[in-house]
Amino acid sequence: MTKTAYFLILFSILPSLLFAQSIDDAFSQEKMRKDLEVFKEIRLKTNSGLYKYRTAQQIDSIYNWANKQIDKSSTYRDFYNIILQLTDFEGSVHNNTSIREKLNQSLRAEKKGYFPYPIKWIEGEWIINFEKGEIPLGSEIISINNEKIEDIIKKLYKYYTTDGINKTGKQIGINYSFSKYYRLNYGLTDTFLVKYKKNKSSKINEITIKSIGYKNYYVNVKNRFSKPYDDVNYKDWNDNEIYIYKSIGKETGVLTINSFSMGNEEDFRHLKYVSFLDSVFTAIKKNDIKNLIVDVRYNGGGTDPNDLVTYSYLTDRNFSENKQAWISFKKIPHLKYIESKIPSFLRFLGVGKYNKWFQKEFYIEKENRFYQGPLSEDHKIRTPNKQAFKGKIYLLISPRIASAGSLFASMVAGNSNTTVIGEETMGGYYGHNGHTPFTYILPKSKISTSFSIVNLEQDVPKEENQAYNRGIIPDFNVNQNFEDYLNQKDTQMNFTLDLIKKNSSE
């Protein structure tokens, strides 16, 4: 064999020797410990949200757990799940931990090992959300492979991050990707022994079902029974669906805002949206609308200042985006592990200029924190629009709401003329970590870990029913009930319309 041929063969097999080709491949504890050490250092030095919801003692405790867990771990998947648990424990909706794209491709190519059916959380139960399977539609799942469904779900929470200790938002992710999460946690499974009840009064049934492949599972998700009702959870919005206004009767209107992803002040989509808001609220005032339903149940966030401009039409107070914002470093730590991609608005800068930008923006140093200065655009005092709505606001919220969506919803929820209806949001009421995402790559596993570095305190009033480590808590907690699920009806909207009718007659 020639030297050239030898090196070509070596070069071709080297990646498979260095990196896992499947998440179930062996991965040494030595490499796990090296990456865990790097991961911890990155969080300690860069992540201003590390102690937002957790004490130093709690953080130390979970890292001690991680070290002990490594003693019992032998595969790449084992280590990935440890890092996911650490990431989720911090409590930030903007945290994200992911494997290399080649490993994701490997998952997508798997032909078996996945639970066949999408499931859904309805009235305190996990039910089958598929009409043409071996288990009847709407059946309550009791256990899978002799493990209670509630215990399984708790183990899957780590795959979908939310703010604080919120759990409702995690249900959104599990509704959609239960089978993938189950595979990541338990490995490939050939068959599933499922115990279920057809209805509350029926006996417990038992069936063994065969696994299916990754792609076939998501075909079933696409054809889930609840799709006509909840498709908005999973779709990309087009321009005609992002924002809509319609009148219901003489005195009530519905403003639906499904996203704030319309670009910044210079974007034509933003300018189009501003024009839309002006025309809508001019018409609301002209038509003497007394009740306005603001539906943001599917708003996962977007770009400033779309959220703030919208709020200016729904308030009578002066306001700013944040009361305060800070980061935890003066110069970007651990540059050798950082991904080359940086936020688009700073992409043209080198590292030195990038650091100078941070030092100019976050220049007030207090107790090892670097606070944003008062002249920042984020602290600009904004005033109500001259067409601002003066009547009763009924805010519809859901676990889908996060980031700029939860900032907006929090501000509206804080109004004295607002009634909040729906389910707790995954985004926090009082604040979150956001604005500027950083991504680091762990050296041995090549796992990428992303988080937003700016710790934000939102400009909202303190409310007795709003907890610091939770999402926005509604005044009326309304979930879709089982009957409405079967009939694909909007329980929350119907409740709101009935409430308006009741309040108008009093």
Side-chain angles (χ1 to χ4, degrees), residues 228-243:
Y229 172 76
D230 65 11
D231 193 38
V232 282
N233 277 320
Y234 314 114
K235 71 193 298 182
D236 293 324
W237 301 105
N238 63 48
D239 288 345
N240 296 324
E241 298 170 315
I242 291 181
Y243 43 87

Side-chain angles (χ1 to χ4, degrees), residues 27-84:
F27 192 66
S28 74
Q29 292 180 358
E30 181 183 356
K31 290 179 180 179
M32 292 184 196
R33 294 194 190 284
K34 170 63 177 175
D35 274 7
L36 179 63
E37 180 185 345
V38 171
F39 181 87
K40 185 177 181 180
E41 278 297 307
I42 289 168
R43 300 323 253 215
L44 288 170
K45 293 184 178 180
T46 317
N47 187 5
S48 64
L50 185 62
Y51 302 116
K52 192 176 184 77
Y53 303 111
R54 304 294 186 182
T55 65
Q57 184 178 6
Q58 288 173 321
I59 294 296
D60 286 343
S61 178
I62 197 168
Y63 276 96
N64 288 336
W65 165 86
N67 269 305
K68 292 176 182 177
Q69 199 68 18
I70 287 176
D71 291 335
K72 300 181 284 185
S73 301
S74 59
T75 67
Y76 189 96
R77 180 170 61 83
D78 291 336
F79 183 63
Y80 179 50
N81 282 323
I82 291 170
I83 295 297
L84 282 166

Side-chain angles (χ1 to χ4, degrees), residues 211-438:
S211 68
I212 62 175
Y214 178 103
K215 291 181 180 178
N216 286 337
Y217 166 72
Y218 280 104
V219 168
N220 286 347
V221 169
K222 187 177 181 180
N223 294 313
R224 66 197 177 280
F225 177 78
S226 63
K227 182 177 179 178
Y229 172 76
D230 65 11
D231 193 38
V232 282
N233 277 320
Y234 314 114
K235 71 193 298 182
D236 293 324
W237 301 105
N238 63 48
D239 288 345
N240 296 324
E241 298 170 315
I242 291 181
Y243 43 87
I244 307 162
Y245 175 79
K246 62 180 179 181
S247 296
I248 300 178
K250 293 182 179 180
E251 296 186 340
T252 300
V254 181
L255 175 63
T256 302
I257 310 167
N258 292 318
S259 173
F260 286 123
S261 295
M262 308 113 168
N264 59 24
E265 293 95 333
E266 298 175 359
D267 196 300
F268 79 93
R269 294 171 300 167
H270 167 79
L271 299 176
K272 181 181 175 183
Y273 179 60
V274 170
S275 177
F276 163 81
L277 288 175
D278 184 64
S279 63
V280 165
F281 282 92
T282 298
I284 286 174
K285 192 170 187 178
K286 179 181 178 181
N287 296 324
D288 196 25
I289 296 294
K290 293 180 171 56
N291 307 295
L292 181 62
I293 301 171
V294 180
D295 186 355
V296 288
R297 286 177 290 173
Y298 306 110
N299 195 316
T303 314
D304 294 335
N306 299 300
D307 46 356
L308 304 173
V309 171
T310 310
Y311 181 65
S312 73
Y313 284 91
L314 298 167
T315 186
D316 60 1
R317 70 179 178 98
N318 293 342
F319 65 96
S320 61
E321 179 175 357
N322 301 311
K323 289 182 178 178
Q324 66 174 22
W326 59 275
I327 60 176
S328 57
F329 58 86
K330 194 169 186 177
K331 292 184 178 180
I332 302 170
H334 293 299
L335 279 173
K336 66 178 178 178
Y337 301 121
I338 203 164
E339 191 181 39
S340 58
K341 296 176 184 176
I342 60 176
S344 57
F345 72 102
L346 290 170
R347 196 167 290 153
F348 62 92
L349 299 177
V351 171
K353 291 182 179 179
Y354 199 10
N355 278 324
K356 285 181 181 178
W357 182 89
F358 278 119
Q359 291 161 16
K360 182 179 179 181
E361 186 78 2
F362 297 89
Y363 61 87
I364 302 173
E365 184 175 357
K366 295 179 185 177
E367 300 176 344
N368 296 319
R369 296 179 177 181
F370 300 88
Y371 288 83
Q372 204 167 34
L375 298 180
S376 167
E377 184 71 14
D378 295 346
H379 300 299
K380 171 185 173 181
I381 301 300
R382 300 172 183 267
T383 58
N385 190 279
K386 62 181 180 181
Q387 301 287 3
F389 180 68
K390 300 287 196 290
K392 293 180 180 179
I393 298 172
Y394 295 84
L395 179 68
L396 296 189
I397 62 171
S398 80
R400 182 68 180 83
I401 298 171
S403 196
S406 60
L407 167 65
F408 168 79
S410 296
M411 297 175 93
V412 177
N415 290 350
S416 59
N417 64 333
T418 297
T419 300
V420 186
I421 298 160
E423 301 169 78
E424 179 186 350
T425 64
M426 76 167 87
Y429 173 81
Y430 289 104
H432 62 277
N433 260 62
H435 284 193
T436 308
F438 272 18

